[in-house]
Amino acid sequence: MEEDTFEKALDAISFKHKGIYFEVGLTSPEIIDAIEHMEIRDSDVFLVTYPKSGTIWTQQILSLIFNEGHRNGTEQIENINRVPWIEYNINNINFKSRPSPRLFTTHLPYYLMPRDLRFRTGKIIYVCRNPKDVMVSFYHFYLLKPNIKCTIHWETFIDVYISGKVESSSWFDHVRGWYTHKEDFNILFVTYEEMIKDLRSAVKKICKFVGINLDEKAIDTVVEKATFTNMKHDPVANYKFIPSDLLDHSKGDFLRKGTVGDWKNHMTVAQNEMFDKVYKEKMGDLPIKFLWDLNEENAS
Ligand code: A3P
């Protein structure tokens, strides 16, 4: 029997709603539509990312900033419950009855977010990462998914990723959408690469934005507990709690490499040139800068 193609396998596990691909069984068009009417409090904080851009890392940082019981290890609450997803609320958390300040996570594009956020109530932290490393990370993530029942070829993956047929659709549209609508929201942009280069400064920047004043010792704790090595072994943070029918942990970890520039180990010169051309066409007019390699002095 002929093996399914990656695109066919994706079709079997995805649905498209209002221009965006979501995973079947984890959410529905009704849930996504209801998000628009979610009541927002001034103290709400939303972590927004395109997949593989540092979501679980920033969940850990936010959880540590907001919860002393997480910092001092007296509470063992998984981050998915501390900073739950609004569109993938797999533990059925009642958002309305949550005490303030509430923390949320989402991969939604700007136009599917709760409408009230447009009145600049609530805070949004948008974390983005250079799209080549996102592509590599996404590719490895799909290799862990037991419901993708085919071989995923890297060359094919590049095309599918660029065309936006993956979960959450196009990186280019997501980042462009959020960036060009930033004036509509109360938003802080943070890059994965700046977190890699100087985590302490990034943590302080986030604290300032969310209005939490931690002393230097508490900041040290947040930084220490949010390092790649510590998170890899931290059961509240490392997503090993995701059931094996959703992620095959025997094939690899959510926390895979945690670095900048791994795309150089995957892309050929020709693939890289092609990608640069697409990037220029789609993003060239925006002043947004990324660090593509840790040896580069400045972002370009
Ligand atoms: P890699 O696959 O490149 O290693 P997301 O949470 O948005 O799905 O992003 C996952 C990516 O963030 C993975 O990238 C993962 O290793 C990386 N990551 C998670 N925690 C990290 C940390 N503490 N430091 C650096 N990278 C981290």
Side-chain angles (χ1 to χ4, degrees):
M1 202 176 75
E2 208 184 304
E3 193 188 32
D4 265 1
T5 61
F6 178 49
E7 286 197 63
K8 259 190 163 175
L10 278 176
D11 279 343
I13 64 158
S14 319
F15 69 92
K16 197 174 193 179
H17 185 60
K18 297 188 172 161
I20 301 294
Y21 286 105
F22 296 93
E23 190 159 338
V24 170
L26 298 182
T27 187
S28 67
E30 294 72 30
I31 291 173
I32 294 153
D33 287 345
I35 288 173
E36 191 190 343
H37 307 289
M38 182 176 169
E39 273 177 38
I40 298 301
R41 305 175 194 160
D42 264 346
S43 56
D44 288 343
V45 177
F46 286 79
L47 163 62
V48 184
T49 58
Y50 182 82
K52 315 321 293 173
S53 301
T55 324
I56 72 165
W57 191 6
T58 319
Q59 275 181 326
Q60 170 84 339
I61 292 168
L62 283 174
S63 171
L64 286 161
I65 289 174
F66 278 86
N67 298 286
E68 194 180 358
H70 188 172
R71 290 200 297 278
N72 65 21
T74 53
E75 292 168 0
Q76 290 294 315
I77 300 169
E78 287 157 349
N79 287 346
I80 201 166
N81 294 324
R82 295 262 202 204
V83 200
W85 296 83
I86 50 174
E87 72 275 34
Y88 296 117
N89 183 8
I90 53 178
N91 291 338
N92 293 315
I93 294 169
N94 183 341
F95 298 151
K96 271 193 181 161
S97 64
R98 285 223 132 183
S100 300
R102 302 183 300 181
L103 305 174
F104 297 110
T105 307
T106 182
H107 286 323
L108 288 177
Y110 75 95
Y111 61 87
L112 293 179
M113 290 295 277
R115 205 181 30 204
D116 284 356
L117 287 166
R118 295 276 187 132
F119 300 107
R120 298 176 65 92
T121 52
K123 297 183 176 71
I124 293 174
I125 299 171
Y126 188 87
V127 180
C128 52
R129 183 182 191 186
N130 87 60
K132 294 179 191 172
D133 282 331
V134 168
M135 179 167 70
V136 170
S137 184
F138 222 163
Y139 167 69
H140 286 278
F141 176 72
Y142 273 112
L143 298 180
L144 305 186
K145 285 177 86 54
N147 53 5
I148 297 281
K149 301 198 187 306
C150 70
T151 311
I152 310 175
H153 300 285
W154 170 240
E155 315 77 68
T156 314
F157 187 79
I158 295 180
D159 291 343
V160 173
Y161 172 80
I162 289 177
S163 69
K165 274 211 77 182
V166 288
E167 187 203 313
S168 294
S169 299
S170 156
W171 178 94
F172 303 98
D173 292 347
H174 202 278
V175 175
R176 168 175 281 279
W178 274 103
Y179 194 79
T180 54
H181 289 83
K182 60 184 187 311
E183 305 306 333
D184 300 348
F185 302 95
N186 182 9
I187 191 165
L188 174 75
F189 275 85
V190 182
T191 66
Y192 177 94
E193 293 79 15
E194 74 175 277
M195 287 168 37
I196 289 278
K197 281 192 90 172
D198 185 353
L199 184 53
R200 199 162 212 284
S201 297
V203 167
K204 284 186 153 181
K205 181 168 155 182
I206 292 172
C207 283
K208 189 167 176 223
F209 178 68
V210 297
I212 297 235
N213 200 359
L214 296 181
D215 61 27
E216 294 299 311
K217 203 164 154 267
I219 298 273
D220 287 344
T221 309
V222 176
V223 171
E224 200 205 321
K225 287 187 189 276
T227 60
F228 183 80
T229 318
N230 285 342
M231 271 185 66
K232 209 168 160 82
H233 300 109
D234 183 347
V236 307
N238 62 16
Y239 270 55
K240 291 242 169 90
F241 49 79
I242 294 288
S244 55
D245 56 330
L246 294 179
L247 273 190
D248 185 347
H249 301 283
S250 69
K251 289 198 178 146
D253 292 330
F254 212 99
L255 282 113
R256 190 186 59 90
K257 263 195 173 169
T259 191
V260 179
D262 193 31
W263 58 270
K264 293 193 170 172
N265 301 317
H266 290 73
M267 295 174 86
T268 63
V269 171
Q271 286 166 348
N272 188 39
E273 281 173 4
M274 180 274 290
F275 196 98
D276 283 344
K277 200 165 159 265
V278 174
Y279 183 86
K280 208 169 161 205
E281 278 164 22
K282 292 185 182 277
M283 307 297 283
D285 59 325
L286 295 180
I288 193 161
K289 303 274 180 231
F290 285 101
L291 188 72
W292 304 91
D293 176 345
L294 274 183
N295 298 322
E296 273 174 41
E297 267 305 300
N298 296 306
S300 62

